[in-house]
Amino acid sequence: MDRLVNERAGALAVYIGVVQFFFAVTWTVYVAYLPQLVEQAGIARSWVPWILVADQLVFALVDIATGFWVDRVRHSLARLGPWILAVSVLSAVAFVALPFMSASPILLLAAILVWAVTSSALRSPPWALLSRHAATPRLPWVSTLTLTGTALAAAASPYLGMALRGVDPRVPFLVSTLTLLAAVGGLVVAERRLTVNSSVSESPEKPPLRQAVLFYAALLVMALGFQAHFSLNSAPQYLRFATQADLAWLLPVFWIGFNLAMFPASRSVGRMGALPLMAVAAACGALATLACGFASTRTFLLSAQLLAGACWGAASVAAYTAAMRFGRTGREGRFLGTLFAMLAVATLCRIAVNPSGLGALPGFKSLLPWLPAASWLGAGLLLIAACRYSPKRP
């Protein structure tokens, strides 16, 4: 019986990974066409970065609120899947409407707000659903399966950006939405095959507050380092040895390393513990990002990027596993929602670098090559401190 439950939990993780893949694709489509949409609505393109910043702020706030709501209704809702599907339909309607709202800036911004708020149903709730059904020892493995979808979407985003050039925005908006809804429908079917709360203990020991606070502080610092490395530093580093046209083929190397490292990392979590593994990944990642900055050949740079991606992949598996284990007291939603909020805040900070003028400051430019390594090393130190507050590793 336990084997059957584990197999079905694994299938559910695959479905959620597919959902995460198509959700990430919709974000890529949105970012690619947003400048065109706001310009058609009479909004200056200079506002695009600030709209994206606002999106991330909404994501962060709603992720936390949704997480607490999921915890509150977890006993009254027999299944989360139908609720996720219902909110996803509303999100899909708002998303498909975006290309048709160019006649009015108010309508366009209203549709963006509705989409940003409702899309939170596809962030922490599916992970909370997975945590309800997966046994604790299986959490690293199901986290790996789910994260694979996000990683594949990130790797494909440069190619997708090239493929969308010159395409009528209504086509990708509609196609990406329909595929996403189909994937969510599959998630609902997969959940019906599982017994509710089949594997979750209702009375595990609560994590020490200081340990949880240090964990999320470390996650935020490490996510800031990831954003600085991949989104701000990687392209200039590659351009020392390649042309602009080559970037679409070189940037995914990071995500190849991410995918390759997740599977062995899922086993290492059981041996080392989530927080110690995350600390080791942060320390190794600091060295890898530093090596990227000092690479003297393209081959060396590709190797360092592959290693940096592997470290972020291992850290991500450990982080999601830790958040779900912290929430095994029936608070999966709030811990997972906070995790997604930390990632959204890091993305927000990265997007705001250029429009705020920070990116043009000489001091920031001189610090930027060192920022990822310093951030990941700092995160590692915070995680080491977090490990001291509990004899039981999460």
Side-chain angles (χ1 to χ4, degrees), residues 107-259:
L107 289 177
L108 177 63
L109 294 176
I112 291 175
L113 178 61
V114 172
W115 171 71
V117 171
T118 54
S119 64
S120 66
L122 296 175
R123 290 164 66 86
S124 60
W127 283 87
L129 184 157
L130 181 61
S131 183
R132 289 177 69 172
H133 297 297
T136 298
R138 298 283 292 176
L139 290 180
W141 175 245
V142 296
S143 297
T144 297
L145 294 176
T146 304
L147 282 168
T148 299
T150 303
L152 289 176
S157 61
Y159 311 120
L160 183 59
M162 292 191 302
L164 291 175
R165 292 174 184 171
V167 178
D168 187 324
R170 292 171 292 186
V171 175
F173 271 78
L174 180 60
V175 171
S176 61
T177 299
L178 291 178
T179 52
L180 176 60
L181 287 179
V184 176
L187 185 155
V188 174
V189 173
E191 186 193 18
R192 287 179 181 173
R193 299 179 179 179
L194 288 162
T195 303
V196 177
N197 295 330
S198 58
S199 303
V200 177
S201 170
E202 292 294 341
S203 57
E205 183 179 346
K206 292 183 179 179
L209 178 60
R210 288 184 179 180
Q211 187 182 56
V213 170
L214 286 171
F215 163 70
Y216 283 112
L219 176 64
L220 176 59
V221 172
M222 194 170 183
L224 287 169
F226 155 70
Q227 291 290 340
H229 168 71
F230 183 75
S231 299
L232 300 180
N233 286 345
S234 289
Q237 288 167 355
Y238 277 124
L239 290 175
R240 288 184 293 155
F241 310 106
T243 65
Q244 188 73 31
D246 295 327
L247 290 180
W249 308 102
L250 296 173
L251 289 174
V253 169
F254 179 93
W255 296 107
I256 293 173
F258 184 100
N259 271 304

Side-chain angles (χ1 to χ4, degrees), residues 53-74:
V53 166
D55 288 335
Q56 296 299 325
L57 180 60
V58 170
F59 286 158
L61 296 175
V62 178
D63 281 339
I64 294 176
T66 302
F68 275 86
W69 181 85
V70 167
D71 291 340
R72 185 175 294 238
V73 302
R74 69 189 305 270

